[in-house]
Amino acid sequence: MNLEKKIRNIQDFPKPGIGFKDITTLLEDGEAFEYTIKKIAENIKDLGVDVIVGPEARGFILGTPVAYELGIGFIPIRKPGKLPAEVESYEYSLEYGTDRLEIHRDAIKPGDRVAIVDDLLATGGTIAAATKLVENLGGEVVAIEFLIELDFLNGRGKLDGYNVNSLVHYSEE
């Protein structure tokens, strides 16, 4: 299935010069959504993954059904102040400033084999931070799966040494 045809490209959103990759058109197509989830699950099924981690918010949309497909648990990574129990935090740099992600401290056990699932790899900052959170808790990131990768932003460079896979690649804006 050609997933790229299922993704709507909206020019000049959220600001001029940006070509936004809108996955809502893929998500509303049951056949394309099912194909996407099964394809990601197929990519990691033989890696002995114990748990799927997904960053807020679209990582929840894709990661949860992948975990269900594999019969394993799902752990959310959230923005600050959204998780009720004790959290592990990781602050990372953005182009202008910093941001922070959090995960429950008891969510990842030492030695857990973790796959991170998200919708989009752009500059790589969020996912690099997610890998640090998992590793700070003793987990091993065995795979990072994306629906879309914006190759021209070179986000994969921040993920050297990791098993990274993307279903759809865009070589230009």
Side-chain angles (χ1 to χ4, degrees):
M1 175 177 294
N2 185 341
L3 294 176
E4 189 173 347
K5 289 184 176 182
K6 304 292 182 177
I7 299 166
R8 178 172 39 198
N9 191 31
I10 300 175
Q11 289 303 315
D12 299 321
F13 183 83
K15 60 184 183 177
I18 304 285
F20 186 80
K21 308 307 182 223
D22 180 16
I23 67 167
T24 59
T25 48
L26 181 146
L27 297 173
E28 67 191 23
D29 179 327
E31 184 180 352
F33 186 39
E34 180 181 19
Y35 176 86
T36 299
I37 298 309
K38 288 187 180 293
K39 192 73 174 158
I40 293 171
E42 180 182 303
N43 288 343
I44 60 177
K45 70 178 181 182
D46 295 328
L47 299 177
V49 174
D50 296 308
V51 67
I52 301 292
V53 167
E56 189 170 327
R58 289 180 297 257
F60 297 1
I61 295 169
L62 296 175
T64 302
V66 169
Y68 178 82
E69 179 76 17
L70 295 172
I72 59 178
F74 175 82
I75 298 169
I77 290 181
R78 304 285 319 258
K79 294 178 180 175
K82 302 289 185 181
L83 293 171
E86 190 176 348
V87 297
E88 179 77 17
S89 295
Y90 188 84
E91 186 171 282
Y92 60 103
S93 296
L94 299 169
E95 189 175 356
Y96 300 104
T98 60
D99 207 349
R100 194 173 75 209
L101 294 176
E102 296 180 342
I103 189 171
H104 278 139
R105 276 223 171 110
D106 60 357
I108 304 286
K109 312 295 183 276
D112 276 354
R113 295 175 59 80
V114 177
I116 300 173
V117 176
D118 204 2
D119 69 321
L120 179 75
L121 174 56
T123 61
T126 300
I127 294 302
T131 64
K132 298 302 180 212
L133 280 172
V134 169
E135 292 166 350
N136 288 349
L137 294 174
E140 177 188 359
V141 177
V142 298
I144 305 173
E145 292 284 325
F146 299 97
L147 170 55
I148 299 168
E149 183 170 346
L150 304 179
D151 297 328
F152 57 93
L153 293 177
N154 302 314
R156 190 176 283 251
K158 289 186 180 168
L159 303 173
D160 275 346
Y162 292 100
N163 173 15
V164 179
N165 185 58
S166 302
L167 301 182
V168 178
H169 292 264
Y170 290 91
S171 59
E172 56 187 38
E173 190 77 37

